[in-house]
Amino acid sequence: MKREIHASVKDEQLIKKRRSQMIRGAVSLFKQKGFHRTTTREIAQASGFSIGTLYEYIRTKEDVLYLVCDSIYEEVSERLGRMDLDKGTLASLKIGISHYFKVMDDMQDEVLVMYQEAKALSPEALPYVLKKELEMVGMFEQLINCCVEKGELDIGKEHQQLLAHNIFVQGQMWGFRRWALKKAFSIDDYIKLQTDLLFSGIKGYQPQV
Amino acid sequence: MKREIHASVKDEQLIKKRRSQMIRGAVSLFKQKGFHRTTTREIAQASGFSIGTLYEYIRTKEDVLYLVCDSIYEEVSERLGRMDLDKGTLASLKIGISHYFKVMDDMQDEVLVMYQEAKALSPEALPYVLKKELEMVGMFEQLINCCVEKGELDIGKEHQQLLAHNIFVQGQMWGFRRWALKKAFSIDDYIKLQTDLLFSGIKGYQPQV
Amino acid sequence: MKREIHASVKDEQLIKKRRSQMIRGAVSLFKQKGFHRTTTREIAQASGFSIGTLYEYIRTKEDVLYLVCDSIYEEVSERLGRMDLDKGTLASLKIGISHYFKVMDDMQDEVLVMYQEAKALSPEALPYVLKKELEMVGMFEQLINCCVEKGELDIGKEHQQLLAHNIFVQGQMWGFRRWALKKAFSIDDYIKLQTDLLFSGIKGYQPQV
Amino acid sequence: MKREIHASVKDEQLIKKRRSQMIRGAVSLFKQKGFHRTTTREIAQASGFSIGTLYEYIRTKEDVLYLVCDSIYEEVSERLGRMDLDKGTLASLKIGISHYFKVMDDMQDEVLVMYQEAKALSPEALPYVLKKELEMVGMFEQLINCCVEKGELDIGKEHQQLLAHNIFVQGQMWGFRRWALKKAFSIDDYIKLQTDLLFSGIKGYQPQV
DNA sequence: GATGAATGAGCTTTCATTCAT
DNA sequence: AATGAATGAAAGCTCATTCAT
């Protein structure tokens, strides 16, 4: 599933180093002007090497986008992976959400970039990215499901699944709607308020059958 | 605030007609390939006229995007505007949400386009679009606030505001995450489940101070 | 030699009127932005009618340039034609020059336009314009030649011919170098000084054989 | 004052070479069809490289015109600069004029191009070109002024200034009126006759006060 | 392994001209 | 006779990609 991006250069160490320079440069450019308005020359320059060198490590401009997206998911996954998914307490769920939201806050720019540019990936690369997303949603589903199994939570399968999506989107939302949210809330406010809404719902309401 | 897009043609009736052809054509193309990968010639062709004619009704390619975004907001606003915002019952809030989600379902393609391409608008056009978004979020805030004032709901100002954002984003989410959601839910499922989650929260949870 | 510019309209009176509107509008535009940077739409607008009407009175954009050039020559010729070419006195030559320079001063804009844009005429139209120029140079030659024949002047055929060219060009020069000349001289200064230089030459010089 | 034309290429040697190819190609095209009727593709082709390469060495089509004008002035200035401006004898003035006219003869095409197209330069570039012209006129003024100071010539400041302009324009005139002058004169005839007219004036004339 | 000059397909936009009304 | 909407060839310019050094 994971696409191997072709490099002409053999030295794996070097590839890693150059690509990391590349990703850093590209994220900063994509953030400012988006993928389409950024030229390969600019990416090369921001990466600290020449256009010729850039093409020693990728085959097409889209490869850069893929590398960027991949690296972002990698980092998010990695940071979320540290959570204990199987505790099965509401407290641990709450901690998980809070942790995720904080990661999203740290990676605002990256999230924004991915959010806006991922659709520019080719039809071959897109599925991999979407799969990664589902994996992450899956983490929240697992977190929630454990609570249900431990009897801490009483919601159906479908509610669980949608809840996981909601949490995931609310994390991203902090990134892509920050033009509106940041005016009103700090990240800590945001975490507190979202948690309240998620957990307590709206008082007095009874779901109808 | 609203930008007037310049047309060389004088006949207002005709401008309206041609622009609506243009928007229809453009939405369908942007949906498939995005704004940047769509050429002006393709837009002209999809609109049913020549490239020369296209430019009689706009000045730049970006004008097309603006017209598309504007028309989408116009339609969404118009359809939401029919809701009764001041009833102040939970039932009316629920109906409002359901109504909004259904509009989002009807306009999936348009929403997706706007969602992904709005950021390609120039810095001059963007504020207008964002303002429109806030207006719509504002509608939900009002809907919620009425319930609070009528004593049907007991949540603070900030929770109200964030709740409005959440509802708004959940509507869009049905459009931009349909690759994942549609597999699991119909729009009616989606409405039912989201309403449940919004209103009942997660049973057993007590917000901490 | 003179090109008939085709008009779809029959009424000769009207053709004359419309074309004169056209020339007035075009001169003012060509002056500002040159022939190539002026659009036919602008010409139509400046003439007070629609683009469709413009094309009822010409066949191509170049026709407008031709009409402009022709009308300028017409006016210059007509005004110069009033001079008495056969008096044969130095005084009358001086008067002729002064008269011509004043015409050039009155018609600065037109002269500038013609000067800069005539070369844009098609190979078919150019000869007519050049012929007109030679006619005008010919007037000065005649003026000079009369003086020679009356014994007022003692210069050879070739000197006569070149002198006529010089006078002609010095008239135009007042138009096309006004960015430099106007800073230093009024038109009356200019006439006085040029006449001095033309007639007295440089004191103390003896032409060598 | 002098505009630096931007090049993407860094090798200064190469820039020089390519631009000289470019100027040669462009002059030949501008001569035939003028600046506006010449396309950038044609310029590239005439220069011996691709359109892409052309734009590595300039930013806009107008840059080509500027480079052409600049190079012409450079060459004319350089060749005139070799004259001894401070000798102060009529003979040296005569030699200067003759030298200048010969330069103009050698550079007929270039002069014609500059003459007809310079006005197409942008308002930012034009002043530089005009300044160059005044510098060259200034050379003749100096040449003349030395003669006056050495007592070889007896004309006032204003006559000196205008005389310099006349000489300058007569040089250009050999280029831009060659359609008429070449029929009658060789360059040597032209030099001889113009010198006669300039220096001896018209016999028998007495300037009036 | 690094460089950057060269390439040309392809893009947006303009505008002279036509023709149905 | 007048109008102005429609047309599309053609223009200027960009930029992803290649490849000789």
Side-chain angles (χ1 to χ4, degrees):
Chain A
M1 196 67 162
K2 180 150 184 170
R3 284 159 66 80
E4 280 308 322
I5 302 301
H6 177 272
S8 308
V9 169
K10 298 288 159 238
D11 183 338
E12 286 293 338
Q13 209 63 34
L14 197 51
I15 294 179
K16 218 168 179 175
K17 181 181 153 199
R18 293 275 180 262
R19 286 196 176 159
S20 117
Q21 292 176 269
M22 210 154 82
I23 289 163
R24 202 171 15 259
V27 166
S28 128
L29 287 166
F30 293 172
K31 199 193 321 174
Q32 289 166 52
K33 7 179 20 189
F35 173 70
H36 284 103
R37 293 201 211 276
T38 299
T39 68
T40 50
R41 278 170 152 87
E42 288 170 327
I43 296 170
Q45 193 176 25
S47 312
F49 37 72
S50 72
I51 181 69
T53 301
L54 181 73
Y55 275 86
E56 294 287 312
Y57 296 92
I58 52 159
R59 264 229 253 266
T60 69
K61 184 184 174 189
E62 208 218 271
D63 284 350
V64 180
L65 181 57
Y66 178 80
L67 288 173
V68 164
C69 291
D70 188 47
S71 108
I72 295 173
Y73 274 122
E74 216 59 49
E75 184 170 347
V76 176
S77 295
E78 198 261 329
R79 289 180 64 171
L80 289 193
R82 292 185 214 138
M83 298 190 300
D84 183 357
L85 300 174
D86 301 314
K87 206 142 183 206
T89 64
L90 286 185
S92 76
L93 176 54
K94 255 191 64 184
I95 288 168
I97 291 169
S98 160
H99 182 59
Y100 167 59
F101 282 10
K102 275 182 178 145
V103 171
M104 291 292 102
D105 186 48
D106 289 349
M107 300 182 67
Q108 275 175 49
D109 293 333
E110 286 83 0
V111 169
L112 196 57
V113 164
M114 255 226 21
Y115 210 79
Q116 296 184 328
E117 308 299 349
K119 63 95 193 10
L121 286 170
S122 68
E124 295 91 54
L126 198 55
Y128 170 70
V129 165
L130 298 182
K131 193 182 138 245
K132 273 275 175 187
E133 279 220 17
L134 283 187
E135 269 173 42
M136 284 162 61
V137 173
M139 285 179 169
F140 290 108
E141 257 185 280
Q142 194 186 337
L143 213 49
I144 293 161
N145 190 251
C146 278
C147 294
V148 173
E149 294 197 335
K150 293 252 162 103
E152 296 262 319
L153 225 53
D154 176 23
I155 54 177
K157 255 288 167 232
E158 292 194 313
H159 286 95
Q160 288 171 42
Q161 198 186 337
L162 188 55
L163 186 55
H165 273 284
N166 284 350
I167 292 169
F168 184 72
V169 167
Q170 280 168 14
Q172 295 187 139
M173 174 179 158
W174 176 249
F176 68 73
R177 286 183 79 78
R178 59 172 190 250
W179 57 272
L181 297 173
K182 275 233 167 156
K183 282 183 199 152
F185 315 116
S186 72
I187 179 63
D188 290 321
D189 295 340
Y190 185 73
I191 292 172
K192 168 75 168 66
L193 294 167
Q194 286 292 32
T195 311
D196 287 350
L197 291 174
L198 280 169
F199 282 72
S200 59
I202 294 165
K203 280 174 202 159
Y205 173 80
Q206 298 301 326
Q208 275 122 39
V209 191
Chain B
M1 197 66 161
K2 183 151 184 170
R3 284 158 67 83
E4 281 306 325
I5 302 300
H6 177 271
S8 306
V9 167
K10 290 166 185 173
D11 183 335
E12 288 291 338
Q13 209 66 36
L14 197 53
I15 292 178
K16 221 167 180 170
K17 182 179 154 200
R18 293 276 177 263
R19 286 198 175 157
S20 113
Q21 291 176 265
M22 208 156 84
I23 289 164
R24 200 166 23 252
V27 166
S28 127
L29 287 165
F30 293 171
K31 198 194 322 172
Q32 287 166 53
K33 12 183 7 191
F35 173 70
H36 284 105
R37 293 203 208 276
T38 300
T39 70
T40 50
R41 282 191 145 73
E42 287 170 329
I43 296 170
Q45 193 173 25
S47 311
F49 35 69
S50 71
I51 182 67
T53 300
L54 180 72
Y55 276 90
E56 292 285 306
Y57 295 92
I58 52 158
R59 266 225 251 267
T60 68
K61 185 184 175 189
E62 208 219 272
D63 284 351
V64 179
L65 182 55
Y66 179 81
L67 287 173
V68 163
C69 291
D70 188 48
S71 108
I72 295 172
Y73 274 122
E74 216 59 47
E75 183 170 347
V76 176
S77 294
E78 197 260 331
R79 289 181 63 171
L80 289 193
R82 292 186 214 136
M83 299 189 301
D84 183 355
L85 299 174
D86 300 314
K87 204 135 183 214
T89 64
L90 286 185
S92 77
L93 175 55
K94 256 190 63 184
I95 288 169
I97 291 168
S98 159
H99 182 61
Y100 168 59
F101 282 11
K102 275 183 178 144
V103 171
M104 290 292 100
D105 185 49
D106 289 350
M107 300 182 68
Q108 276 174 48
D109 293 334
E110 285 82 0
V111 169
L112 194 57
V113 163
M114 251 227 24
Y115 213 80
Q116 296 184 328
E117 308 298 351
K119 62 99 192 18
L121 286 170
S122 69
E124 294 91 57
L126 198 56
Y128 170 70
V129 165
L130 298 182
K131 193 182 139 244
K132 273 275 176 188
E133 277 221 17
L134 284 187
E135 269 174 43
M136 284 162 60
V137 173
M139 284 181 168
F140 291 109
E141 257 186 280
Q142 194 187 334
L143 213 51
I144 294 161
N145 190 250
C146 279
C147 295
V148 173
E149 295 198 334
K150 294 252 161 100
E152 296 261 320
L153 225 51
D154 176 23
I155 54 175
K157 254 293 167 230
E158 293 194 314
H159 286 95
Q160 287 172 42
Q161 197 186 337
L162 188 56
L163 186 56
H165 273 284
N166 284 349
I167 293 168
F168 184 73
V169 168
Q170 280 169 14
Q172 294 187 140
M173 174 179 156
W174 177 248
F176 68 75
R177 287 183 80 77
R178 62 172 188 250
W179 55 272
L181 298 172
K182 276 232 169 156
K183 284 182 198 152
F185 315 115
S186 72
I187 179 64
D188 290 320
D189 297 339
Y190 186 73
I191 292 171
K192 169 75 169 65
L193 294 168
Q194 286 290 32
T195 311
D196 289 349
L197 290 174
L198 279 168
F199 281 73
S200 59
I202 295 166
K203 278 174 204 162
Y205 172 82
Q206 296 302 327
Q208 275 122 38
V209 191
Chain C
M1 197 67 161
K2 182 148 186 173
R3 284 159 66 80
E4 281 308 322
I5 302 301
H6 177 272
S8 309
V9 168
K10 298 286 160 240
D11 183 338
E12 286 292 337
Q13 209 63 37
L14 196 51
I15 293 179
K16 217 166 178 176
K17 182 180 154 200
R18 292 277 180 258
R19 286 196 177 160
S20 116
Q21 291 177 269
M22 210 155 80
I23 289 163
R24 204 174 10 261
V27 166
S28 127
L29 287 165
F30 292 171
K31 198 192 324 173
Q32 288 166 53
K33 10 181 12 191
F35 173 70
H36 284 103
R37 294 201 209 278
T38 300
T39 68
T40 51
R41 278 170 152 89
E42 288 169 328
I43 295 170
Q45 193 176 24
S47 311
F49 38 70
S50 72
I51 181 69
T53 300
L54 181 73
Y55 274 86
E56 294 287 313
Y57 296 92
I58 52 159
R59 264 229 251 266
T60 70
K61 186 185 173 188
E62 208 218 271
D63 285 352
V64 180
L65 181 56
Y66 178 80
L67 287 172
V68 164
C69 290
D70 189 47
S71 108
I72 294 173
Y73 274 121
E74 217 59 51
E75 184 171 348
V76 176
S77 295
E78 198 259 329
R79 289 181 63 172
L80 288 193
R82 292 185 214 138
M83 298 190 300
D84 183 354
L85 300 175
D86 301 316
K87 206 144 184 207
T89 64
L90 287 185
S92 76
L93 175 54
K94 258 191 62 185
I95 288 167
I97 291 167
S98 159
H99 181 60
Y100 167 59
F101 282 11
K102 274 182 178 145
V103 171
M104 291 293 100
D105 186 50
D106 288 351
M107 301 181 68
Q108 274 175 50
D109 292 334
E110 285 82 1
V111 168
L112 196 58
V113 163
M114 254 227 19
Y115 211 78
Q116 297 184 329
E117 308 298 350
K119 62 98 192 13
L121 285 170
S122 69
E124 295 91 54
L126 197 56
Y128 170 69
V129 164
L130 298 183
K131 194 181 138 246
K132 272 278 177 187
E133 277 220 18
L134 283 186
E135 270 172 42
M136 284 162 61
V137 173
M139 286 180 169
F140 290 109
E141 256 184 282
Q142 194 186 335
L143 212 49
I144 293 161
N145 189 249
C146 279
C147 295
V148 173
E149 294 197 335
K150 294 253 161 105
E152 295 262 322
L153 224 53
D154 176 23
I155 54 176
K157 255 287 165 232
E158 292 193 314
H159 285 97
Q160 288 172 41
Q161 197 186 337
L162 188 55
L163 185 57
H165 272 286
N166 284 351
I167 292 169
F168 184 73
V169 167
Q170 280 169 13
Q172 293 187 140
M173 174 179 156
W174 177 249
F176 68 73
R177 288 183 78 78
R178 60 172 188 249
W179 56 272
L181 298 173
K182 276 234 169 156
K183 282 183 198 152
F185 315 115
S186 71
I187 179 63
D188 291 320
D189 295 338
Y190 185 73
I191 292 172
K192 168 74 169 66
L193 294 168
Q194 286 291 31
T195 311
D196 288 348
L197 290 174
L198 280 169
F199 282 72
S200 60
I202 294 166
K203 277 175 203 161
Y205 173 79
Q206 297 303 326
Q208 275 121 40
V209 192
Chain D
M1 197 67 162
K2 183 150 184 170
R3 284 159 66 84
E4 281 307 324
I5 301 302
H6 177 271
S8 306
V9 168
K10 289 166 185 173
D11 183 337
E12 287 292 338
Q13 209 65 36
L14 197 53
I15 293 178
K16 222 166 179 171
K17 183 179 154 198
R18 292 277 178 262
R19 286 197 175 158
S20 112
Q21 291 177 266
M22 209 157 85
I23 289 164
R24 204 173 11 258
V27 166
S28 126
L29 287 164
F30 293 172
K31 198 192 325 174
Q32 288 166 54
K33 11 183 10 192
F35 174 71
H36 284 103
R37 293 203 210 277
T38 300
T39 70
T40 52
R41 281 182 150 79
E42 287 169 328
I43 296 171
Q45 194 173 24
S47 311
F49 35 72
S50 71
I51 181 68
T53 299
L54 180 72
Y55 276 90
E56 292 283 308
Y57 296 91
I58 52 158
R59 266 225 250 266
T60 68
K61 186 186 175 189
E62 207 220 272
D63 284 351
V64 180
L65 182 56
Y66 178 81
L67 287 174
V68 164
C69 291
D70 189 46
S71 107
I72 296 173
Y73 273 122
E74 217 58 50
E75 184 171 346
V76 176
S77 295
E78 199 258 329
R79 290 180 63 171
L80 289 193
R82 292 186 213 137
M83 298 190 302
D84 183 356
L85 300 173
D86 301 314
K87 205 137 182 212
T89 62
L90 287 185
S92 77
L93 174 54
K94 258 189 63 182
I95 289 167
I97 291 168
S98 159
H99 182 60
Y100 168 59
F101 282 12
K102 274 182 179 145
V103 170
M104 291 292 101
D105 185 50
D106 288 350
M107 302 182 66
Q108 276 174 48
D109 292 334
E110 286 81 2
V111 169
L112 194 59
V113 163
M114 254 227 22
Y115 212 78
Q116 297 185 328
E117 307 299 349
K119 63 98 194 12
L121 286 170
S122 69
E124 294 92 55
L126 198 55
Y128 170 69
V129 165
L130 298 182
K131 194 182 138 245
K132 273 274 176 190
E133 278 220 15
L134 283 187
E135 269 172 42
M136 283 162 60
V137 173
M139 284 180 169
F140 291 109
E141 256 184 283
Q142 195 186 333
L143 213 49
I144 294 162
N145 190 249
C146 280
C147 294
V148 173
E149 295 198 335
K150 292 252 161 105
E152 297 262 320
L153 227 53
D154 176 25
I155 55 177
K157 256 288 168 232
E158 292 193 313
H159 285 94
Q160 288 172 41
Q161 197 186 338
L162 187 55
L163 184 57
H165 272 284
N166 284 351
I167 293 169
F168 184 73
V169 168
Q170 280 169 14
Q172 293 187 141
M173 174 179 158
W174 176 248
F176 68 74
R177 287 183 79 77
R178 60 173 188 253
W179 56 273
L181 297 173
K182 275 233 170 157
K183 282 182 199 153
F185 315 114
S186 71
I187 179 63
D188 290 320
D189 295 340
Y190 185 72
I191 292 171
K192 169 75 169 65
L193 294 168
Q194 286 291 32
T195 311
D196 288 348
L197 290 174
L198 280 169
F199 281 72
S200 60
I202 294 167
K203 279 173 202 161
Y205 172 79
Q206 297 301 328
Q208 275 122 38
V209 192

